[in-house]
Structures are given as C-alpha cells and as structure tokens.
C-alpha cells in the first residue's frame, strides 16, 4: 500500500478508524507504535452512534479517550509526513 499524505479520523461500525478518501486504512499499515494501534483498535471496537448523541446517552469518557487518541495518532503520523483530519469535527 502506498502511504497516503492525508488521512481522515472517523470511527465507524466496521471497526475502522482512519480513512483515505473515504476508504478504510488499517492501522497496521501505518507508522504507529504498536501500543497506540492496539489502544485505537480497542477504542474503535466500542463504537456506537449513540455515544456521540447529545443528552443522556452521550459517552463523555469514550469521547475524551478518542480525542486523546486523535492527538497521539496525529503526532505520530505527522512525524512521517502524514496529515490527520478530524473529519467529523469532534476529535480535535
């Protein structure tokens, strides 16, 4: 796989976290520390749309964990010339 120059961060039900032009990019194919990839995979495995809805169902701890992961992943990828976009406007 050719490394993309820009990735989008948006979790979904298929346990995919990063996308390039809307297509899934496995974390294992990116220059990320294994512990970061493992943590991100575990986090996205708990994805549910309801976690993001306003109100009682909103999962603030899960969202905070996602924001922290976004920062770590963005820094890790930036060191390799890959930009990370907050596609949903939630994570940055």
């Amino acid at each position: 796989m050719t490394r993309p120059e820009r990735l989008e961060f948006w979790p979904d039900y298929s346990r995919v976290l990063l996308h390039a032009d809307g297509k899934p990019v496995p974390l294992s194919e990116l220059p990320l520390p294994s512990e970061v990839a493992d943590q991100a995979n575990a986090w996205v495995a708990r994805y549910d749309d309801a976690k993001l809805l306003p109100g009682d169902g909103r999962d603030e701890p899960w969202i905070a964990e996602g924001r922290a992961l976004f920062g770590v992943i963005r820094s890790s990828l930036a060191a390799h010339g890959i930009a990370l976009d907050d596609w949903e406007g939630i994570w940055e």
Side-chain angles (χ1 to χ4, degrees):
M1 172 184 158
T2 303
R3 282 196 189 147
E5 293 179 10
R6 181 168 299 284
L7 292 170
E8 302 141 359
F9 184 101
W10 48 284
D12 67 23
Y13 281 111
S14 62
R15 295 184 178 197
V16 174
L17 181 57
L18 302 181
H19 303 77
D21 297 322
K23 296 178 183 159
V25 177
L27 298 178
S28 61
E29 295 182 10
L30 297 169
L32 293 171
S34 60
E35 62 273 5
V36 171
D38 291 347
Q39 183 182 5
N41 282 323
W43 177 79
V44 76
R46 298 188 315 269
Y47 176 78
D48 188 305
D49 283 340
K51 291 179 181 284
L52 298 172
L53 296 175
D56 292 340
R58 190 169 173 92
D59 189 337
E60 294 297 341
W62 183 83
I63 292 169
E65 185 178 354
R67 287 180 176 147
L69 280 168
F70 177 85
V72 169
I73 292 170
R74 180 175 52 186
S75 294
S76 295
L77 294 177
H80 296 276
I82 302 170
L84 184 62
D85 291 332
D86 177 1
W87 188 79
E88 297 172 302
I90 298 170
W91 311 108
E92 192 164 20

